[in-house]
Amino acid sequence: MQTAPAPVIVAIDGPSGTGKSSTSKAVAAELGLRYLDTGAQYRAITWWMLSNGIDVADPTAVAAAAGKPVIVSGTDPARSTIMVDGADAAGPIRTQEVTAAVSAVSAVAEVRGRITELQRSIAAGTAEGTDPADVAAPSRGIVVEGRDIGTTVLPDADLKVFLTASPEARAARRSGELRGKDSADLATTRAALLKRDAADSGRKASPLKKADDAVEVDTTELTLEQVVECVVTLVREQQPAG
Ligand code: DC
């Protein structure tokens, strides 16, 4: 009798604007894997803090509230969803207000502990933190994207990819997403992005960092299709044939 292959775990890390989300979703869709956007979880807890009057500049207040919101992530790459205390948070977590506050909130150790626990349980296929329908669906594994997945959350991932790109390319992509196309927008976006990178890389708790055994892919000169093809090939290479 043939046994099913063990689920594959793919960790994709890197700073913002490197194409992490688009790449991770496309790789998951192509390989029939689930997909987890861990940045959305940090945004969700930040949105909850802002909505509930917690002073996000006060790490003690943030730490005390870290266990309160119930965050549920959908893991279908075709339809990633995020709910906070039963409310759809997909829109609100993308506002400038949340983007400006998320680095401070995600630097708090209690927040990281709480979200890391959820991420590990989702990657293990248990029900905590994810949509019950996603747990019931058969899965060949998961692509998890973030900043510290390969280093801290899932150090035993089957494949670790670290995406990079020049600050110019990253700012251009981000401001394209934000639909601000003039040079003032580009300069502002570049400054905000570099500030957030510095905060995410410089924090004490689980900073943004390439794992020693991660494959680094510089996406500056690559199209999305080329990056996806590269990562799909890397996943297939480390999977037993069959
Ligand atoms: O990927 P994103 O821009 O949506 O992430 C938002 C923020 O969440 C990012 O600035 C830092 C934080 N984050 C983190 O600390 N660890 C992760 N694994 C993912 C995101």
Side-chain angles (χ1 to χ4, degrees):
M1 203 180 89
Q2 256 196 328
T3 50
V8 62
I9 297 197
V10 180
I12 302 192
D13 289 301
S16 40
T18 50
K20 273 195 320 285
S21 298
S22 311
T23 302
S24 302
K25 269 187 230 169
V27 168
E30 186 160 340
L31 295 172
L33 306 177
R34 295 187 295 134
Y35 159 73
L36 177 63
D37 175 355
T38 64
Q41 295 175 306
Y42 285 102
R43 287 172 178 274
I45 199 165
T46 302
W47 175 64
W48 183 93
M49 300 267 169
L50 292 167
S51 309
N52 284 274
I54 311 290
D55 177 3
V56 293
D58 176 358
T60 309
V62 170
K68 293 187 179 168
V70 176
I71 300 172
V72 175
S73 307
T75 55
D76 178 345
R79 196 185 54 90
S80 48
T81 57
I82 185 131
M83 311 283 288
V84 182
D85 290 347
D88 180 358
I93 64 166
R94 302 288 161 194
T95 59
Q96 286 297 337
E97 196 194 4
V98 169
T99 302
V102 66
S103 286
V105 172
S106 59
V108 175
E110 286 76 1
V111 168
R112 299 210 73 78
R114 170 88 202 295
I115 301 287
T116 298
E117 216 173 273
L118 283 180
Q119 292 161 354
R120 289 183 178 147
S121 112
I122 294 169
T126 56
E128 205 211 343
T130 193
D131 194 324
D134 292 353
V135 177
S139 163
R140 291 196 244 160
I142 190 163
V143 178
V144 184
E145 65 136 308
R147 303 287 194 291
D148 62 338
I149 309 306
T151 51
T152 303
V153 179
L154 301 166
D156 296 327
D158 300 285
L159 173 70
K160 300 177 188 178
V161 176
F162 194 82
L163 297 182
T164 61
S166 70
E168 288 68 30
R170 297 195 288 118
R173 287 173 192 165
R174 232 332 112 84
S175 76
E177 276 167 27
L178 299 173
R179 290 182 210 288
K181 300 249 172 27
D182 67 30
S183 58
D185 277 348
L186 201 63
T188 312
T189 305
R190 186 177 187 278
L193 189 126
L194 292 178
K195 187 171 164 214
R196 194 147 64 93
D197 284 356
D200 294 343
S201 308
R203 69 177 174 229
K204 265 213 220 96
S206 197
L208 163 66
K209 189 168 154 296
K210 176 183 168 295
D212 291 339
D213 52 349
V215 180
E216 183 164 337
V217 179
D218 183 344
T219 69
T220 307
E221 305 288 337
L222 301 178
T223 63
L224 174 62
E225 290 69 27
Q226 288 170 323
V227 182
V228 172
E229 196 189 325
C230 169
V231 178
V232 165
T233 305
L234 289 168
V235 177
R236 288 198 169 124
E237 273 172 9
Q238 63 76 54
Q239 288 259 279

